[in-house]
Amino acid sequence: MQWGMKNRLSKIIKPKTGRTVMLAVDHGYFLGPTTGLENFREAVKPLMPYIDTLFLTRGMLRTCVEPQIGVPIMLRASGGTSILSKELLHEGITLAMEDAIRMNAVGIGYSIMVGADFERDTILDLSKLVDDAERFGLIVMAVTAVGKDMAKDARYLSLACRMAAEHGAHMVKTYYCENFEKVVDTCPVPIVMAGGKKIPELDSLTMAYNAIQAGAVGVDMGRNIFQSENPVAMIQAVRAVVHENRTPKEALDLFNELKKKGASESKKKDEKPVDDSAKV
Ligand code: R5P
């Protein structure tokens, strides 16, 4: 791997722990204003101090994120279909390398649809993107998308992750499953775990913990953070699991503690100042 790539990868995966907490907020590219991200700016800003990389589309980066942001950016480079489409899994390339470089991204993310009708198109696009990204020293993260009828088990996910690596992806994002060790052990590039649908906080922290213990280098979570009843507390709890090896129970305790603290602070803010104008 060339120097620029190694440098970019070290911005995503923190050398101190060898791990990463990525925040995935790219969902609008096929879901529109999804729950929790309706007001993108407001939702994402308070999470910034707690993340290692932000994964989003170029449109939201340009319009809703300050350029002074001190967080590495990874841009989604696939899309073209919506949740309403009969061909949801028929995505293509939606981003030029030059634009990614202009926006100072460290890398790009691309969904591959292994086992779906459009498998071939997406795998060939991934290879093309890897060629282009290598020219500029950008990191390519393959996302192993899973259609409604496709199994999210170790057999399928290890096939998809290994194929992504074989076609040149520098890292892979995939879902958690039983026997996740098999997925990690058969994939030669770093794996980050996607969070999936919103589930209770303890379950989500347990899933992240299990993925990390199985060898994932981190997470690229979205809904279980921004749809949490307290996203700022949840991202810190996830961070504790990823970077400090805290157990799910310890992380949940931290979540509850931060939630309580946040609630009492906002209560203080809401208390009206005493009107002492009569004294003057
Ligand atoms: C995947 O295709 C989406 O674009 C998200 O980036 C991904 O699913 C991660 O988000 P979540 O944790 O909500 O699954």
Side-chain angles (χ1 to χ4, degrees):
M1 195 182 267
Q2 37 162 300
W3 192 94
M5 268 187 163
K6 282 189 190 159
N7 179 264
R8 288 190 178 92
L9 193 60
S10 75
K11 290 186 193 306
I12 304 169
I13 302 169
K14 298 296 162 194
K16 202 171 162 196
T17 59
R19 299 211 177 132
T20 183
V21 174
M22 299 172 67
L23 177 68
V25 283
D26 58 322
H27 304 60
Y29 88 95
F30 72 102
L31 286 173
T34 197
T35 309
L37 290 182
E38 296 91 339
N39 186 333
F40 191 92
R41 241 177 245 272
E42 302 269 301
V44 171
K45 201 172 172 195
L47 304 175
M48 287 297 105
Y50 309 106
I51 64 172
D52 297 321
T53 299
L54 182 63
F55 182 49
L56 75 175
T57 59
R58 65 173 160 189
M60 297 319 268
L61 181 67
R62 270 190 202 132
T63 54
C64 301
V65 180
E66 297 301 319
Q68 293 78 9
I69 178 186
V71 173
I73 298 298
M74 185 165 264
L75 291 175
R76 173 160 281 279
S78 67
T81 54
S82 79
I83 188 72
L84 303 176
S85 169
K86 288 194 183 80
E87 294 189 347
L88 174 62
L89 302 185
H90 197 181
E91 293 187 355
I93 296 173
T94 56
L95 178 70
M97 287 305 139
E98 286 81 356
D99 211 22
I101 292 285
R102 252 193 304 274
M103 301 182 98
N104 203 26
V106 289
I108 56 160
Y110 187 85
S111 291
I112 56 168
M113 314 293 182
V114 175
D117 289 350
F118 309 105
E119 168 185 280
R120 182 171 183 274
D121 296 359
T122 60
I123 298 288
L124 294 182
D125 275 353
L126 171 68
S127 304
K128 184 184 175 312
L129 275 182
V130 171
D131 285 337
D132 292 347
E134 293 266 351
R135 274 201 288 280
F136 293 96
L138 286 167
I139 300 297
V140 176
M141 177 175 78
V143 182
T144 64
V146 179
K148 270 189 211 137
D149 310 323
M150 286 140 81
K152 275 191 203 169
D153 59 19
R155 188 161 165 248
Y156 170 74
L157 293 178
S158 53
L159 166 74
C161 291
R162 177 62 172 266
M163 282 182 67
E166 298 256 359
H167 284 84
H170 307 107
M171 54 192 289
V172 178
K173 162 169 157 171
T174 196
Y175 291 95
Y176 181 73
C177 62
E178 257 181 58
N179 298 323
F180 197 66
E181 292 81 2
K182 183 184 170 202
V183 181
V184 176
D185 292 346
T186 55
C187 179
V189 298
I191 290 191
V192 288
M193 184 203 81
K197 277 190 192 145
K198 174 75 181 76
I199 51 178
E201 272 73 10
L202 180 60
D203 296 349
S204 171
L205 292 166
T206 303
M207 200 165 74
Y209 178 83
N210 290 341
I212 295 292
Q213 299 309 312
V217 298
V219 298
D220 186 16
M221 290 169 68
R223 287 163 288 180
N224 278 287
I225 307 285
F226 61 74
Q227 291 177 355
S228 165
E229 58 175 304
N230 193 321
V232 174
M234 186 59 180
I235 190 81
Q236 290 178 79
V238 169
R239 220 181 150 75
V241 166
V242 172
H243 284 297
E244 297 167 25
N245 289 312
R246 298 268 205 106
T247 64
K249 164 80 175 67
E250 288 170 340
L252 185 71
D253 289 347
L254 176 66
F255 170 79
N256 286 327
E257 201 182 295
L258 292 167
K259 194 174 79 171
K260 216 163 128 192
K261 210 168 134 202
S264 64
E265 270 163 18
S266 61
K267 195 171 163 226
K268 260 190 244 158
K269 255 196 256 162
D270 290 347
E271 278 167 12
K272 280 196 178 155
V274 181
D275 182 2
D276 58 1
S277 54
K279 286 187 198 155
V280 236

